[in-house]
Amino acid sequence: MKKVLVTGGLGFIGSHTVVELQNEGFEVLIIDNLSNSSIEVLKRITSITGTKPAYFNIDLKDKVAVQQFFATNKVDGIIHFAASKAVGESVQKPLEYYENNIGSLVYILQEMKANNLNNFIFSSSCTVYGQADELPITENAPIKPAESPYGNTKQIGEEIIKDASKISDLKAIALRYFNPIGAHESAKIGELPIGVPQNLIPYVVQTAAGIRKELAVFGSDYNTPDGTAVRDYIHVVDLAKAHIVALKRLIENKNKSQYEVFNLGTGKGNSVLEVIKSFEKVTGKKVNYKLVDRREGDITAAYADTKYANEELGWKSELSLDDALLSAWKWQQTL
């Protein structure tokens, strides 16, 4: 049985990926310091799959702790999710973001080199493209100057991995996510924002549930069909499955180069108002919203060209926007 380390494995995307790994017969080890997650998620993963993953409460900024972990645990692959991820907060706390997101990545890569571990999947983001010149966005689209320290940590992270792969046997895939939403069909795991949600879908479901008074729709004068910003919303379970496909690609030596990049999206853009309408349709719940000014750092539109991921990686999204929004609502109702 192949062993896989998942850092940030109790987070939103991490927990869904752990479930899919276990479903595919992998033995999973989780590192998570609970800075933006809950230990309760470990029980919920176990109740879905029937298998409890090994769990380590380690802060990846602690170099000695990282060294000790790798000295005593041999793994066949690493999926690295652990990172701070709020765009707005990163503008307020840039140094904390660089320390956490870059420092932890470097320590893991150093230990991989020291212990001759080679298979690495990096959780990256479509933020690296900024406002792309052309839509849909291919993997060859130019990397734009980052709009936030968070986005910059993903750009720098990719560069570090690429450099490391040149001087070692490291094989790495950076997966550039578009907008992950939704929840597992069991409604036992989902997106659990601590405090006021920074992302659209948790805010939509909390507004529908009466937790928030109304949803602010940032910007209604964009150059889009209805004036609101357009994004590529991908079901988190589809996204999780892509990590397993990518990991197997490395383990089976099917990669075409030591460092590869794939976009993970549906290939379809939806506006904020379309998302609200879809949510209201599948749930029968009304969402109070108001149109307000644009938010700094937001782009007009982003959606993926999925051809390369579909054909070369052999993965494609299967679940719809309606599926994702209904699952997010079911998850909210369990909270």
Side-chain angles (χ1 to χ4, degrees), residues 102-129:
I102 303 301
S104 60
L105 172 65
V106 169
Y107 295 158
I108 289 169
L109 292 173
Q110 284 174 331
E111 291 313 300
M112 287 184 71
K113 188 167 182 287
N115 293 281
N116 201 25
L117 306 173
N118 299 327
N119 301 317
F120 188 73
I121 307 291
F122 181 58
S123 168
S124 193
S125 167
C126 68
T127 57
V128 301
Y129 299 118

PDB file of all heavy atoms in Angstrom, residues 102-129:
ATOM      1  N   ILE A 102       6.074  30.105   2.292  1.00  0.00           N
ATOM      2  CA  ILE A 102       7.360  29.833   1.635  1.00  0.00           C
ATOM      3  C   ILE A 102       8.270  29.011   2.541  1.00  0.00           C
ATOM      4  O   ILE A 102       8.875  28.030   2.110  1.00  0.00           O
ATOM      5  CB  ILE A 102       8.073  31.144   1.221  1.00  0.00           C
ATOM      6  CG1 ILE A 102       7.172  31.976   0.288  1.00  0.00           C
ATOM      7  CG2 ILE A 102       9.410  30.852   0.569  1.00  0.00           C
ATOM      8  CD1 ILE A 102       6.761  31.280  -0.982  1.00  0.00           C
ATOM      9  N   GLY A 103       8.345  29.393   3.816  1.00  0.00           N
ATOM     10  CA  GLY A 103       9.222  28.674   4.757  1.00  0.00           C
ATOM     11  C   GLY A 103       8.892  27.193   4.832  1.00  0.00           C
ATOM     12  O   GLY A 103       9.766  26.335   4.703  1.00  0.00           O
ATOM     13  N   SER A 104       7.600  26.891   5.000  1.00  0.00           N
ATOM     14  CA  SER A 104       7.199  25.482   5.138  1.00  0.00           C
ATOM     15  C   SER A 104       7.503  24.684   3.869  1.00  0.00           C
ATOM     16  O   SER A 104       7.945  23.532   3.928  1.00  0.00           O
ATOM     17  CB  SER A 104       5.710  25.393   5.484  1.00  0.00           C
ATOM     18  OG  SER A 104       4.924  25.991   4.477  1.00  0.00           O
ATOM     19  N   LEU A 105       7.281  25.311   2.708  1.00  0.00           N
ATOM     20  CA  LEU A 105       7.576  24.640   1.435  1.00  0.00           C
ATOM     21  C   LEU A 105       9.060  24.292   1.327  1.00  0.00           C
ATOM     22  O   LEU A 105       9.427  23.168   0.952  1.00  0.00           O
ATOM     23  CB  LEU A 105       7.157  25.548   0.270  1.00  0.00           C
ATOM     24  CG  LEU A 105       7.575  25.083  -1.128  1.00  0.00           C
ATOM     25  CD1 LEU A 105       6.884  23.782  -1.512  1.00  0.00           C
ATOM     26  CD2 LEU A 105       7.279  26.165  -2.170  1.00  0.00           C
ATOM     27  N   VAL A 106       9.915  25.244   1.674  1.00  0.00           N
ATOM     28  CA  VAL A 106      11.366  25.024   1.589  1.00  0.00           C
ATOM     29  C   VAL A 106      11.797  23.894   2.519  1.00  0.00           C
ATOM     30  O   VAL A 106      12.571  23.007   2.130  1.00  0.00           O
ATOM     31  CB  VAL A 106      12.130  26.328   1.899  1.00  0.00           C
ATOM     32  CG1 VAL A 106      13.623  26.061   2.078  1.00  0.00           C
ATOM     33  CG2 VAL A 106      11.909  27.357   0.793  1.00  0.00           C
ATOM     34  N   TYR A 107      11.281  23.882   3.749  1.00  0.00           N
ATOM     35  CA  TYR A 107      11.660  22.831   4.707  1.00  0.00           C
ATOM     36  C   TYR A 107      11.250  21.447   4.205  1.00  0.00           C
ATOM     37  O   TYR A 107      11.994  20.468   4.333  1.00  0.00           O
ATOM     38  CB  TYR A 107      11.044  23.093   6.086  1.00  0.00           C
ATOM     39  CG  TYR A 107      11.550  24.354   6.757  1.00  0.00           C
ATOM     40  CD1 TYR A 107      10.801  24.974   7.761  1.00  0.00           C
ATOM     41  CD2 TYR A 107      12.767  24.931   6.400  1.00  0.00           C
ATOM     42  CE1 TYR A 107      11.245  26.130   8.380  1.00  0.00           C
ATOM     43  CE2 TYR A 107      13.219  26.090   7.012  1.00  0.00           C
ATOM     44  CZ  TYR A 107      12.452  26.696   8.002  1.00  0.00           C
ATOM     45  OH  TYR A 107      12.882  27.840   8.614  1.00  0.00           O
ATOM     46  N   ILE A 108      10.062  21.350   3.628  1.00  0.00           N
ATOM     47  CA  ILE A 108       9.598  20.054   3.102  1.00  0.00           C
ATOM     48  C   ILE A 108      10.489  19.608   1.932  1.00  0.00           C
ATOM     49  O   ILE A 108      10.939  18.452   1.876  1.00  0.00           O
ATOM     50  CB  ILE A 108       8.127  20.132   2.650  1.00  0.00           C
ATOM     51  CG1 ILE A 108       7.212  20.253   3.872  1.00  0.00           C
ATOM     52  CG2 ILE A 108       7.737  18.893   1.832  1.00  0.00           C
ATOM     53  CD1 ILE A 108       5.775  20.592   3.540  1.00  0.00           C
ATOM     54  N   LEU A 109      10.774  20.520   1.008  1.00  0.00           N
ATOM     55  CA  LEU A 109      11.607  20.165  -0.147  1.00  0.00           C
ATOM     56  C   LEU A 109      13.025  19.776   0.288  1.00  0.00           C
ATOM     57  O   LEU A 109      13.627  18.858  -0.288  1.00  0.00           O
ATOM     58  CB  LEU A 109      11.651  21.321  -1.147  1.00  0.00           C
ATOM     59  CG  LEU A 109      10.328  21.616  -1.873  1.00  0.00           C
ATOM     60  CD1 LEU A 109      10.446  22.890  -2.704  1.00  0.00           C
ATOM     61  CD2 LEU A 109       9.899  20.444  -2.753  1.00  0.00           C
ATOM     62  N   GLN A 110      13.557  20.437   1.313  1.00  0.00           N
ATOM     63  CA  GLN A 110      14.887  20.074   1.830  1.00  0.00           C
ATOM     64  C   GLN A 110      14.883  18.651   2.380  1.00  0.00           C
ATOM     65  O   GLN A 110      15.817  17.877   2.136  1.00  0.00           O
ATOM     66  CB  GLN A 110      15.317  21.061   2.924  1.00  0.00           C
ATOM     67  CG  GLN A 110      15.770  22.410   2.379  1.00  0.00           C
ATOM     68  CD  GLN A 110      16.063  23.432   3.468  1.00  0.00           C
ATOM     69  OE1 GLN A 110      15.474  23.390   4.551  1.00  0.00           O
ATOM     70  NE2 GLN A 110      16.960  24.358   3.184  1.00  0.00           N
ATOM     71  N   GLU A 111      13.820  18.315   3.104  1.00  0.00           N
ATOM     72  CA  GLU A 111      13.736  16.967   3.680  1.00  0.00           C
ATOM     73  C   GLU A 111      13.476  15.917   2.606  1.00  0.00           C
ATOM     74  O   GLU A 111      13.945  14.782   2.727  1.00  0.00           O
ATOM     75  CB  GLU A 111      12.665  16.908   4.772  1.00  0.00           C
ATOM     76  CG  GLU A 111      13.029  17.692   6.022  1.00  0.00           C
ATOM     77  CD  GLU A 111      14.445  17.412   6.498  1.00  0.00           C
ATOM     78  OE1 GLU A 111      14.749  16.237   6.802  1.00  0.00           O
ATOM     79  OE2 GLU A 111      15.272  18.340   6.541  1.00  0.00           O
ATOM     80  N   MET A 112      12.742  16.277   1.574  1.00  0.00           N
ATOM     81  CA  MET A 112      12.549  15.339   0.463  1.00  0.00           C
ATOM     82  C   MET A 112      13.896  15.012  -0.180  1.00  0.00           C
ATOM     83  O   MET A 112      14.196  13.849  -0.448  1.00  0.00           O
ATOM     84  CB  MET A 112      11.597  15.941  -0.576  1.00  0.00           C
ATOM     85  CG  MET A 112      10.143  15.967  -0.133  1.00  0.00           C
ATOM     86  SD  MET A 112       9.022  16.578  -1.431  1.00  0.00           S
ATOM     87  CE  MET A 112       9.054  15.191  -2.594  1.00  0.00           C
ATOM     88  N   LYS A 113      14.710  16.046  -0.382  1.00  0.00           N
ATOM     89  CA  LYS A 113      16.031  15.838  -0.998  1.00  0.00           C
ATOM     90  C   LYS A 113      16.917  14.995  -0.082  1.00  0.00           C
ATOM     91  O   LYS A 113      17.544  14.026  -0.518  1.00  0.00           O
ATOM     92  CB  LYS A 113      16.681  17.200  -1.267  1.00  0.00           C
ATOM     93  CG  LYS A 113      17.972  17.132  -2.072  1.00  0.00           C
ATOM     94  CD  LYS A 113      18.369  18.517  -2.573  1.00  0.00           C
ATOM     95  CE  LYS A 113      19.626  18.457  -3.428  1.00  0.00           C
ATOM     96  NZ  LYS A 113      20.849  18.203  -2.629  1.00  0.00           N
ATOM     97  N   ALA A 114      16.907  15.327   1.214  1.00  0.00           N
ATOM     98  CA  ALA A 114      17.756  14.609   2.176  1.00  0.00           C
ATOM     99  C   ALA A 114      17.355  13.140   2.307  1.00  0.00           C
ATOM    100  O   ALA A 114      18.199  12.276   2.559  1.00  0.00           O
ATOM    101  CB  ALA A 114      17.677  15.292   3.544  1.00  0.00           C
ATOM    102  N   ASN A 115      16.056  12.866   2.131  1.00  0.00           N
ATOM    103  CA  ASN A 115      15.556  11.497   2.332  1.00  0.00           C
ATOM    104  C   ASN A 115      15.235  10.777   1.015  1.00  0.00           C
ATOM    105  O   ASN A 115      14.627   9.710   1.024  1.00  0.00           O
ATOM    106  CB  ASN A 115      14.317  11.524   3.225  1.00  0.00           C
ATOM    107  CG  ASN A 115      14.645  11.955   4.648  1.00  0.00           C
ATOM    108  OD1 ASN A 115      15.138  11.163   5.434  1.00  0.00           O
ATOM    109  ND2 ASN A 115      14.389  13.216   4.964  1.00  0.00           N
ATOM    110  N   ASN A 116      15.657  11.388  -0.094  1.00  0.00           N
ATOM    111  CA  ASN A 116      15.470  10.786  -1.419  1.00  0.00           C
ATOM    112  C   ASN A 116      14.001  10.462  -1.718  1.00  0.00           C
ATOM    113  O   ASN A 116      13.663   9.377  -2.187  1.00  0.00           O
ATOM    114  CB  ASN A 116      16.348   9.524  -1.542  1.00  0.00           C
ATOM    115  CG  ASN A 116      16.602   9.157  -2.998  1.00  0.00           C
ATOM    116  OD1 ASN A 116      16.546  10.013  -3.875  1.00  0.00           O
ATOM    117  ND2 ASN A 116      16.843   7.884  -3.248  1.00  0.00           N
ATOM    118  N   LEU A 117      13.136  11.433  -1.423  1.00  0.00           N
ATOM    119  CA  LEU A 117      11.710  11.314  -1.744  1.00  0.00           C
ATOM    120  C   LEU A 117      11.432  12.206  -2.947  1.00  0.00           C
ATOM    121  O   LEU A 117      11.890  13.347  -2.992  1.00  0.00           O
ATOM    122  CB  LEU A 117      10.855  11.770  -0.552  1.00  0.00           C
ATOM    123  CG  LEU A 117      11.143  11.088   0.789  1.00  0.00           C
ATOM    124  CD1 LEU A 117      10.361  11.755   1.901  1.00  0.00           C
ATOM    125  CD2 LEU A 117      10.811   9.609   0.723  1.00  0.00           C
ATOM    126  N   ASN A 118      10.686  11.698  -3.922  1.00  0.00           N
ATOM    127  CA  ASN A 118      10.653  12.408  -5.200  1.00  0.00           C
ATOM    128  C   ASN A 118       9.299  12.887  -5.716  1.00  0.00           C
ATOM    129  O   ASN A 118       9.258  13.688  -6.647  1.00  0.00           O
ATOM    130  CB  ASN A 118      11.298  11.533  -6.289  1.00  0.00           C
ATOM    131  CG  ASN A 118      12.744  11.232  -5.980  1.00  0.00           C
ATOM    132  OD1 ASN A 118      13.427  12.064  -5.392  1.00  0.00           O
ATOM    133  ND2 ASN A 118      13.214  10.051  -6.332  1.00  0.00           N
ATOM    134  N   ASN A 119       8.200  12.399  -5.174  1.00  0.00           N
ATOM    135  CA  ASN A 119       6.892  12.700  -5.782  1.00  0.00           C
ATOM    136  C   ASN A 119       6.156  13.783  -4.998  1.00  0.00           C
ATOM    137  O   ASN A 119       5.760  13.573  -3.851  1.00  0.00           O
ATOM    138  CB  ASN A 119       6.046  11.423  -5.849  1.00  0.00           C
ATOM    139  CG  ASN A 119       6.736  10.336  -6.655  1.00  0.00           C
ATOM    140  OD1 ASN A 119       7.307  10.616  -7.710  1.00  0.00           O
ATOM    141  ND2 ASN A 119       6.705   9.107  -6.169  1.00  0.00           N
ATOM    142  N   PHE A 120       5.935  14.930  -5.654  1.00  0.00           N
ATOM    143  CA  PHE A 120       5.429  16.106  -4.946  1.00  0.00           C
ATOM    144  C   PHE A 120       4.324  16.794  -5.751  1.00  0.00           C
ATOM    145  O   PHE A 120       4.518  17.159  -6.911  1.00  0.00           O
ATOM    146  CB  PHE A 120       6.579  17.103  -4.722  1.00  0.00           C
ATOM    147  CG  PHE A 120       6.233  18.264  -3.839  1.00  0.00           C
ATOM    148  CD1 PHE A 120       6.081  18.102  -2.469  1.00  0.00           C
ATOM    149  CD2 PHE A 120       6.093  19.539  -4.378  1.00  0.00           C
ATOM    150  CE1 PHE A 120       5.779  19.188  -1.648  1.00  0.00           C
ATOM    151  CE2 PHE A 120       5.786  20.624  -3.562  1.00  0.00           C
ATOM    152  CZ  PHE A 120       5.630  20.457  -2.192  1.00  0.00           C
ATOM    153  N   ILE A 121       3.163  16.954  -5.125  1.00  0.00           N
ATOM    154  CA  ILE A 121       2.047  17.691  -5.740  1.00  0.00           C
ATOM    155  C   ILE A 121       1.867  18.996  -4.964  1.00  0.00           C
ATOM    156  O   ILE A 121       1.732  18.979  -3.737  1.00  0.00           O
ATOM    157  CB  ILE A 121       0.719  16.885  -5.660  1.00  0.00           C
ATOM    158  CG1 ILE A 121       0.877  15.476  -6.236  1.00  0.00           C
ATOM    159  CG2 ILE A 121      -0.408  17.668  -6.351  1.00  0.00           C
ATOM    160  CD1 ILE A 121       1.075  15.399  -7.717  1.00  0.00           C
ATOM    161  N   PHE A 122       1.860  20.112  -5.689  1.00  0.00           N
ATOM    162  CA  PHE A 122       1.757  21.434  -5.063  1.00  0.00           C
ATOM    163  C   PHE A 122       0.407  22.063  -5.355  1.00  0.00           C
ATOM    164  O   PHE A 122      -0.052  22.100  -6.503  1.00  0.00           O
ATOM    165  CB  PHE A 122       2.867  22.345  -5.594  1.00  0.00           C
ATOM    166  CG  PHE A 122       2.881  23.729  -4.987  1.00  0.00           C
ATOM    167  CD1 PHE A 122       2.995  23.916  -3.616  1.00  0.00           C
ATOM    168  CD2 PHE A 122       2.801  24.857  -5.805  1.00  0.00           C
ATOM    169  CE1 PHE A 122       3.013  25.191  -3.063  1.00  0.00           C
ATOM    170  CE2 PHE A 122       2.825  26.138  -5.257  1.00  0.00           C
ATOM    171  CZ  PHE A 122       2.939  26.304  -3.877  1.00  0.00           C
ATOM    172  N   SER A 123      -0.191  22.557  -4.292  1.00  0.00           N
ATOM    173  CA  SER A 123      -1.481  23.231  -4.366  1.00  0.00           C
ATOM    174  C   SER A 123      -1.243  24.678  -4.799  1.00  0.00           C
ATOM    175  O   SER A 123      -0.838  25.512  -4.002  1.00  0.00           O
ATOM    176  CB  SER A 123      -2.093  23.166  -2.955  1.00  0.00           C
ATOM    177  OG  SER A 123      -3.189  23.998  -2.832  1.00  0.00           O
ATOM    178  N   SER A 124      -1.481  24.950  -6.099  1.00  0.00           N
ATOM    179  CA  SER A 124      -1.270  26.301  -6.611  1.00  0.00           C
ATOM    180  C   SER A 124      -2.612  26.914  -6.995  1.00  0.00           C
ATOM    181  O   SER A 124      -3.665  26.389  -6.635  1.00  0.00           O
ATOM    182  CB  SER A 124      -0.285  26.295  -7.776  1.00  0.00           C
ATOM    183  OG  SER A 124       0.128  27.619  -8.072  1.00  0.00           O
ATOM    184  N   SER A 125      -2.574  28.011  -7.710  1.00  0.00           N
ATOM    185  CA  SER A 125      -3.800  28.777  -7.905  1.00  0.00           C
ATOM    186  C   SER A 125      -3.799  29.529  -9.215  1.00  0.00           C
ATOM    187  O   SER A 125      -2.746  29.945  -9.717  1.00  0.00           O
ATOM    188  CB  SER A 125      -3.931  29.784  -6.752  1.00  0.00           C
ATOM    189  OG  SER A 125      -4.916  30.746  -7.030  1.00  0.00           O
ATOM    190  N   CYS A 126      -5.002  29.746  -9.750  1.00  0.00           N
ATOM    191  CA  CYS A 126      -5.126  30.542 -10.972  1.00  0.00           C
ATOM    192  C   CYS A 126      -4.825  32.015 -10.703  1.00  0.00           C
ATOM    193  O   CYS A 126      -4.748  32.803 -11.645  1.00  0.00           O
ATOM    194  CB  CYS A 126      -6.526  30.384 -11.560  1.00  0.00           C
ATOM    195  SG  CYS A 126      -7.832  31.130 -10.557  1.00  0.00           S
ATOM    196  N   THR A 127      -4.644  32.389  -9.422  1.00  0.00           N
ATOM    197  CA  THR A 127      -4.266  33.785  -9.131  1.00  0.00           C
ATOM    198  C   THR A 127      -2.942  34.147  -9.812  1.00  0.00           C
ATOM    199  O   THR A 127      -2.672  35.324 -10.038  1.00  0.00           O
ATOM    200  CB  THR A 127      -4.105  34.054  -7.619  1.00  0.00           C
ATOM    201  OG1 THR A 127      -3.139  33.155  -7.087  1.00  0.00           O
ATOM    202  CG2 THR A 127      -5.403  33.890  -6.868  1.00  0.00           C
ATOM    203  N   VAL A 128      -2.125  33.139 -10.138  1.00  0.00           N
ATOM    204  CA  VAL A 128      -0.829  33.437 -10.776  1.00  0.00           C
ATOM    205  C   VAL A 128      -1.014  34.094 -12.149  1.00  0.00           C
ATOM    206  O   VAL A 128      -0.116  34.776 -12.642  1.00  0.00           O
ATOM    207  CB  VAL A 128       0.067  32.176 -10.914  1.00  0.00           C
ATOM    208  CG1 VAL A 128       0.354  31.559  -9.547  1.00  0.00           C
ATOM    209  CG2 VAL A 128      -0.521  31.153 -11.854  1.00  0.00           C
ATOM    210  N   TYR A 129      -2.181  33.921 -12.763  1.00  0.00           N
ATOM    211  CA  TYR A 129      -2.430  34.499 -14.087  1.00  0.00           C
ATOM    212  C   TYR A 129      -2.907  35.946 -14.025  1.00  0.00           C
ATOM    213  O   TYR A 129      -2.919  36.635 -15.057  1.00  0.00           O
ATOM    214  CB  TYR A 129      -3.485  33.686 -14.839  1.00  0.00           C
ATOM    215  CG  TYR A 129      -3.108  32.247 -15.105  1.00  0.00           C
ATOM    216  CD1 TYR A 129      -3.862  31.204 -14.567  1.00  0.00           C
ATOM    217  CD2 TYR A 129      -2.014  31.924 -15.903  1.00  0.00           C
ATOM    218  CE1 TYR A 129      -3.537  29.878 -14.815  1.00  0.00           C
ATOM    219  CE2 TYR A 129      -1.678  30.599 -16.156  1.00  0.00           C
ATOM    220  CZ  TYR A 129      -2.448  29.582 -15.604  1.00  0.00           C
ATOM    221  OH  TYR A 129      -2.124  28.269 -15.856  1.00  0.00           O
TER     222      TYR A 129
END
